[in-house]
Amino acid sequence: MTWQDDQARRDELYRDPYPLYDRARRAEGLTYVAEFDAWLVARDRDVREVLLRAEDFSSANALLPDIPISEAALGVLPRGFGPRPTVVSSDGAAHRRHRAPLNRGLSAGRVAALVPYARTCANELVDRFAADGSAELVAAYARQLPGMVVGRLIGLDPADVPAAVHGGYRAEELLFRPMSPEGQVAAAEDVVALQHLLDGYVRDRRAHPRDDMCSAMVAALAPGDDELTLEQRHELVTSLQNLLIAGFLTTSALIATMLLHLLADRRQWRTLRADPSLAPAAVEEAVRHDTAIQAFRRITTRPVTLAGTELPAGAAVLVAYGSGNRDEDRYERPGEFDITRPGNRQHLAFGYGTHGCPGSQLAREQLRLTLDLFVRRMPELRLDADRPRPRMRPTLIHRSPQDLYVTW
């Protein structure tokens, strides 16, 4: 069996993992899934237990690639920076060190200060296609707004944002999507270009600090005034790249998926249109029902027992937030999308415990203003009936429709 065959089986599960989740929640103990080479943690209570036991379930393998990288691409990547542990893939004191500047930079006050800029950007994006009567919203809106916002947060020049976003998507493709060796080389070159772009910002902020996240991360991860060492630059570029990609990929996916489910069920769209104050509840239900980050890997640091299953040290587990969010023991009618669902904010879409997403409030703000914007400016928005139903991208990391054709 080749890795291509394995990937084809994984892709089927990635596009619709929910039947597997349903079976795993009903099974005794944990379910081993060969396609993931990991034990699937599917029930809400078990997901929460793993996330609260970071000393037993390490995040070191959180972003393990699906795809073997070719020798040719591996020859390109050393021209850039990293890899180094980041907030996603570290534990204990190292995790706290990486997370501290993110918590400060994504505080409630700083997020609130970004919202007017995000709203302006959103309106400008819609202005570009509002008169056309139709659009493909993934490319025209969902993939653009979060990049503009996280670029502002980091302190990127707006002119550099498109290249940064492109490099981020190419990094995801390189690690998680099958490509030819030539395609991998091209993607690796784009990733290296992104890393050198970020390195320029890192070195500039060391010399000329500003009130932005890049400056804050330089000060936190490389304290002092001396010229940055090469190792410090490696760590800072890796951490900034992680922040950038996490900041726009996840939110872009959530925007597209949220709009898909609202428009696929006209009752939900009409309910929201009649009562726009339901936008916050609609956001919570959208991210619960079909969250972008379906699962992250963890690895056991010692022999442990979880849900009655004994695991040795070094066992890989796949912690399925998307499954916990449809757990029948926590939610009534968990498979239904219902924006009037009460008490739906206690989901796992933004993680839980020490690794809970520090950017969750910024993501929520972008999702809310997106709903406010489209309900107000395009109340007759609907899926394009002449197009097939959008197909989900084959990934558990940033689950979203591949495209979203709409009319109004």
Side-chain angles (χ1 to χ4, degrees):
M1 189 70 66
T2 66
W3 71 263
Q4 289 95 335
D5 294 324
D6 290 340
Q7 187 64 35
R9 293 202 310 272
R10 277 196 295 266
D11 283 357
E12 291 182 17
L13 290 176
Y14 288 165
R15 291 188 192 278
D16 184 12
Y18 293 107
L20 171 63
Y21 294 162
D22 290 345
R23 294 193 299 272
R25 287 195 305 272
R26 291 193 297 267
E28 288 189 17
L30 304 182
T31 298
Y32 182 78
V33 182
E35 290 82 359
F36 302 143
D37 191 21
W39 294 90
L40 182 63
V41 184
R43 287 175 285 269
D44 175 275
R45 64 177 181 272
D46 297 330
V47 170
R48 292 175 192 269
E49 180 177 347
V50 169
L51 298 178
L52 289 178
R53 293 172 60 184
E55 70 282 1
D56 295 331
F57 296 92
S58 170
S59 296
N61 68 335
L63 296 176
L64 189 70
D66 279 350
I67 303 298
I69 299 178
S70 68
E71 289 295 325
L74 288 173
V76 172
L77 291 174
R79 301 176 199 162
F81 293 83
R84 299 292 189 277
T86 69
V87 69
V88 175
S89 58
S90 57
D91 302 302
H95 172 75
R96 291 190 292 274
R97 174 174 170 267
H98 283 289
R99 189 178 177 98
L102 300 180
N103 287 344
R104 292 191 295 270
L106 289 160
S107 67
R110 287 191 172 270
V111 168
L114 269 174
V115 171
Y117 177 76
R119 186 173 291 111
T120 297
C121 291
N123 273 286
E124 289 176 352
L125 288 171
V126 172
D127 286 343
R128 298 176 188 176
F129 56 79
D132 297 341
S134 64
E136 196 284 286
L137 290 183
V138 171
Y141 183 88
R143 281 201 172 200
Q144 296 199 51
L145 176 64
M148 299 163 85
V149 174
V150 76
R152 176 80 160 213
L153 173 74
I154 290 172
L156 301 185
D157 185 317
D160 286 334
V161 167
V165 169
H166 174 74
Y169 277 107
R170 295 292 273 164
E172 182 195 37
E173 288 182 272
L174 181 63
L175 296 177
F176 297 106
R177 296 309 310 148
M179 289 188 285
S180 67
E182 297 79 12
Q184 284 194 339
V185 167
E189 289 172 344
D190 288 341
V191 171
V192 168
L194 167 63
Q195 292 171 345
H196 282 284
L197 174 69
L198 295 177
D199 180 55
Y201 277 93
V202 164
R203 288 183 287 116
D204 176 77
R205 294 307 192 268
R206 177 58 132 203
H208 309 287
R210 302 184 189 180
D211 185 19
D212 58 31
M213 184 69 89
C214 184
S215 299
M217 291 178 72
V218 170
L221 299 181
D225 299 321
D226 295 338
E227 183 176 344
L228 293 170
T229 67
L230 182 58
E231 177 57 30
Q232 288 172 326
R233 288 164 60 197
H234 273 282
E235 181 178 57
L236 283 162
V237 168
T238 303
S239 294
L240 267 180
Q241 179 178 297
N242 176 77
L243 170 61
L244 174 75
I245 294 174
F248 70 74
L249 270 174
T250 303
T251 307
S252 294
L254 288 172
I255 288 173
T257 304
M258 174 183 70
L259 290 172
L260 168 63
H261 289 301
L262 275 168
L263 297 177
D265 185 343
R266 296 302 298 173
R267 296 171 303 165
Q268 303 290 323
W269 180 255
R270 287 194 293 267
T271 298
L272 178 63
R273 191 175 60 187
D275 185 3
S277 70
L278 285 171
V283 165
E284 301 304 325
E285 177 66 353
V287 302
R288 178 206 68 83
H289 179 73
D290 204 4
T291 191
I293 296 182
Q294 286 281 304
F296 267 150
R297 291 178 179 270
R298 295 288 187 269
I299 188 166
T300 56
T301 60
R302 63 180 184 85
V304 297
T305 299
L306 180 66
T309 299
E310 295 182 0
L311 301 172
V317 298
L318 191 69
V319 187
Y321 312 115
S323 178
N325 282 343
R326 295 201 183 185
D327 192 326
E328 299 81 356
D329 288 343
R330 178 169 281 266
Y331 304 100
E332 294 184 9
R333 304 170 288 106
E336 293 183 24
F337 179 66
D338 179 7
I339 67 172
T340 66
R341 182 186 301 274
N344 64 354
R345 195 180 170 102
Q346 302 305 311
H347 52 69
L348 295 161
F350 294 114
Y352 183 69
T354 58
H355 276 272
C357 176
S360 60
Q361 190 56 35
L362 183 58
R364 284 180 164 109
E365 294 290 354
Q366 292 177 77
L367 293 167
R368 290 171 189 167
L369 70 86
T370 292
L371 292 185
D372 291 339
L373 175 63
F374 282 102
V375 165
R376 176 172 50 83
R377 295 191 59 176
M378 297 176 177
E380 297 304 318
L381 191 68
R382 62 187 64 242
L383 295 179
D384 189 335
D386 294 329
R387 301 273 186 170
R389 182 182 172 90
R391 197 174 188 204
M392 302 304 285
R393 296 176 65 227
T395 175
L396 289 183
I397 301 297
H398 299 109
R399 177 175 168 80
S400 65
Q402 293 183 156
D403 49 46
L404 189 62
Y405 288 94
V406 297
T407 60
W408 55 91

